[in-house]
Every structure is written in C-alpha cells, then in structure tokens.
Amino acid sequence: MKIKFAPSLMCMDLMRVQEQVSILNERCDLYHVDIMDGHFVKNLSLSVDFVKGLRQITNLPIDCHLMVTNPEQYIDPLIKAGADFISLHSETISGQAFRLFNKIKQADCKCGVVLNPETSLEAVKPYLNYLDLLTFMTVDPGFAGQNFIAETIKSINEAALWKVRNTYSYILAVDGACNKHTFLELADAGTECFIVGSSGLFNLDEDLNIAYDIMMQDFRQSLAAKK
C-alpha cells in the first residue's frame, strides 16, 4: 500500500484556509479534521460547519475525528456535510458500536475508530472487520505539539500483524507527533497513513509548499537511514 499523508487541519493557519487547502489539494492524500466538544477532551476545535465549507473546496477524502462524548449526535450532520470517513473514539462507543458503524456504512460513508494511547487493541478486536480506518493516538488527545508516547508502537505493530493475519481492510493510521524523529519507527511498525500536524508539517516553514517539501524530504531521509 502506498503511504498516505493526511494533514491535521486544526494545525493549519485558519486565517488562510482557502489558500492552504488549494496547496494541499495538489499534494496530500486526504484531510484529517478534529472535532472536539470541550468534554471528552478539554479543548474546542473544528466543527461540522468547517467540514461543510471544506467539502466545497476539495475533492479529497475528509476524515472526521470525533473527540466528543456523544458521537451519535454528530454522525448525521457530518454525513450531510460531506465527510468521507467518520472516526469514533473507542472509549466513547461502548454499548452502541455496531449500531453506529451500521449507520455510517448505510450512508455510504467509511467507518473509523481511534484509540487513545492507553487503550488496548483488545478493546476493538470484536469489530476490526468493520473498519475502514484504524487510528492510533501517539499523544494524549486534544492538543497539538505534545511529546510522542513510544509505548504505542507495540499496539501499532500488533494491529499491522492482525490486519495481515485476518485479511482486514482497514488503513492503519497514526495521529500525533508524526515527524522526522518518529517517521522511521512508525513506518517499521506498519503505519500506512501519517496524520501530520504542527511538528510534522505546518511549523516547518511559513510557505506551505516549502513546508510540504521539507516534510517529504524528512520522510524519505528517515527511511533511507535504515538502509
């Protein structure tokens, strides 16, 4: 599988959305949109209305990451807004997981699940066959710029092995501190989609074209260092 890159748009310059999206439309594979409610995480970020506006200026897939206490309240509005993936936190869907997955898939939308760093892969084992996207947080959810939590590598590698062993179809993604210091370790563990934020992309240069070039150079050099 070709490695994918998904800019985390909460880290972009929100005063230059149209300009930056026009650059990213030519370069990245999909967009990652964090939606927070101030309860599940102590932060507020992007919104359903942001997704609706983004859909009007891009044809790329949009992954909506729901860091919210009641994800069921967001599914219908996000489908209507044009989301391609809806990613639910495993910690918020106990007792309703299969019902929510079916609702998402019946709307011809793709289904994702996100795990916090301390959440065991065993917690999502019953429904891995449902998933189109499986995302591991390698930082605590809610805020950009945190330090990488190395203990997550074991779970990422385990999920990659389970995917091969059981012919699951999910894309294995990582969210948090994806940058030149972690690219190699994450790639070796089986990461297929890097969600890049402040340290991996947006803070590399004020010119987003240059920043993207730096990111790709960092990625290639990281992998080349292993040889």
Side-chain angles (χ1 to χ4, degrees):
M1 174 181 287
K2 173 186 175 289
I3 295 295
K4 299 180 185 295
F5 291 90
S8 179
L9 297 189
M10 70 173 282
C11 301
M12 75 189 306
D13 184 344
L14 293 175
M15 300 299 292
R16 300 163 59 199
V17 171
Q18 189 145 359
E19 172 195 343
Q20 295 202 333
V21 169
S22 68
I23 293 169
L24 293 171
N25 279 343
E26 303 300 319
R27 312 203 65 171
C28 68
D29 300 287
L30 67 158
Y31 290 114
H32 184 85
V33 176
D34 289 306
I35 297 175
M36 308 180 191
D37 62 358
H39 298 283
F40 180 67
V41 293
K42 295 181 180 180
N43 196 6
L44 294 169
S45 186
L46 305 177
S47 66
V48 173
D49 284 339
F50 180 89
V51 175
K52 184 178 180 181
L54 178 63
R55 181 77 288 162
Q56 295 174 23
I57 58 174
T58 188
N59 292 319
L60 292 180
I62 302 171
D63 170 33
C64 295
H65 175 188
L66 292 183
M67 286 184 261
V68 300
T69 301
N70 298 301
E72 66 278 2
Q73 297 176 1
Y74 292 78
I75 291 174
D76 284 336
L78 283 172
I79 290 168
K80 186 175 180 180
D84 297 282
F85 292 82
I86 297 178
S87 291
L88 313 171
H89 260 270
S90 65
E91 300 84 7
T92 68
I93 58 174
S94 178
Q96 58 178 341
F98 291 102
R99 177 161 45 86
L100 296 182
F101 297 156
N102 286 329
K103 185 174 188 178
I104 291 168
K105 286 181 174 290
Q106 285 169 5
D108 291 326
C109 196
K110 294 183 178 179
C111 186
V113 160
V114 187
L115 284 78
N116 281 346
E118 69 274 15
T119 300
S120 168
L121 185 59
E122 289 287 337
V124 300
K125 190 175 181 180
Y127 48 71
L128 284 174
N129 61 309
Y130 270 71
L131 303 183
D132 301 294
L133 182 65
L134 177 62
T135 302
F136 286 88
M137 298 295 301
T138 53
V139 299
D140 290 329
F143 294 89
Q146 298 181 61
N147 291 331
F148 179 73
I149 299 173
E151 287 78 3
T152 57
I153 289 291
K154 181 178 179 182
S155 292
I156 296 165
N157 185 244
E158 190 175 6
L161 294 174
W162 282 9
K163 177 178 178 177
V164 172
R165 188 180 304 136
N166 298 285
T167 63
Y168 293 141
S169 58
Y170 54 73
I171 299 167
L172 185 51
V174 168
D175 184 2
C178 292
N179 55 48
K180 65 181 181 180
H181 303 294
T182 61
F183 280 145
L184 176 58
E185 189 173 16
L186 290 171
D188 280 349
T191 303
E192 298 166 326
C193 179
F194 291 87
I195 298 166
V196 285
S198 53
S199 67
L201 175 60
F202 291 102
N203 286 355
L204 297 180
D205 196 276
E206 185 175 342
D207 184 324
L208 190 53
N209 269 310
I210 295 174
Y212 207 95
D213 287 340
I214 293 171
M215 179 192 73
M216 293 307 301
Q217 182 178 6
D218 286 344
F219 181 74
R220 289 190 293 266
Q221 288 180 345
S222 296
L223 270 59
K226 180 182 177 181
K227 298 178 181 178

